[in-house]
Amino acid sequence: AQTVTQSQPEMSVQEAETVTLSCTYDTSESNYYLFWYKQPPSRQMILVIRQEAYKQQNATENRFSVNFQKAAKSFSLKISDSQLGDTAMYFCAFISSGSARQLTFGSGTQLTVLP
Amino acid sequence: GAGVSQTPSNKVTEKGKYVELRCDPISGHTALYWYRQSLGQGPEFLIYFQGTGAADDSGLPNDRFFAVRPEGSVSTLKIQRTERGDSAMYLCASSSGTGPNTQYFGPGTRLTVL
């Protein structure tokens, strides 16, 4: 079974600064997908970024980028030029490329962007 | 286009009652998922549909929980004899195709069992 660990329950960052959220996972599979989802207060979960394990290049989406270290089973999210609207719970998630289709989530990191 | 919708947004019920939670996926998405999220935790998988059939129901906690998707679109999660421990946010997600494609989530139904 896969596990996803987010060791930072809470983080804060000043507006316009950069912050990195950590995620590690455990799997015996060689091919899989990793995601970061954002869940703002009382709002629905939305996809931030996705990474395929077979791709060596780190994914980027505007101000969001990942540092994917497959050997270390690490998948951190970097948010540049933080904005007040980035305040949310961030979840790291794993999905196998095999027959299982469920996402396995970490416990989340509550990020607060301070003005 | 419209995203995943869920109704009701909030449901308060009494212990022992029966509840139904509805999910309307993104049009054309063949895969549909139900997750349960307790306060301050990440979502936990309940069940996955591909078309009309439940391809994986390994996350359902016990036989009080049941889900259907009779026409391959809208799904209903049914909980019998509700218990206080069933109180949580119930999330629905949908994705296209049969592969490990990105799942798009609805706003959830917050269930409170008194």
Side-chain angles (χ1 to χ4, degrees), chain A residues 16-81:
Chain A
E17 297 294 308
T18 296
V19 65
T20 299
L21 280 57
S22 301
C23 172
T24 58
Y25 58 94
D26 189 21
T27 182
S28 58
E29 300 189 23
S30 59
N31 204 13
Y32 47 86
Y33 300 78
L34 296 163
F35 303 83
W36 280 97
Y37 280 90
K38 165 185 176 181
Q39 190 174 40
S42 300
R43 293 181 61 187
Q44 70 194 76
M45 185 143 0
I46 58 175
L47 177 70
V48 175
I49 200 163
R50 165 187 166 121
Q51 174 81 43
E52 290 85 356
Y54 63 86
K55 289 188 177 178
Q56 292 186 334
Q57 186 173 7
N58 289 323
T60 63
E61 281 291 336
N62 301 314
R63 298 183 294 108
F64 300 87
S65 62
V66 298
N67 183 5
F68 173 49
Q69 301 290 329
K70 191 172 183 179
K73 296 181 181 174
S74 170
F75 183 62
S76 61
L77 175 69
K78 185 171 85 170
I79 306 174
S80 304
D81 184 27

Side-chain angles (χ1 to χ4, degrees), chain B residues 40-51:
Chain B
Q41 299 297 316
E44 294 180 324
F45 170 76
L46 295 176
I47 187 170
Y48 154 57
F49 286 90
Q50 185 60 248

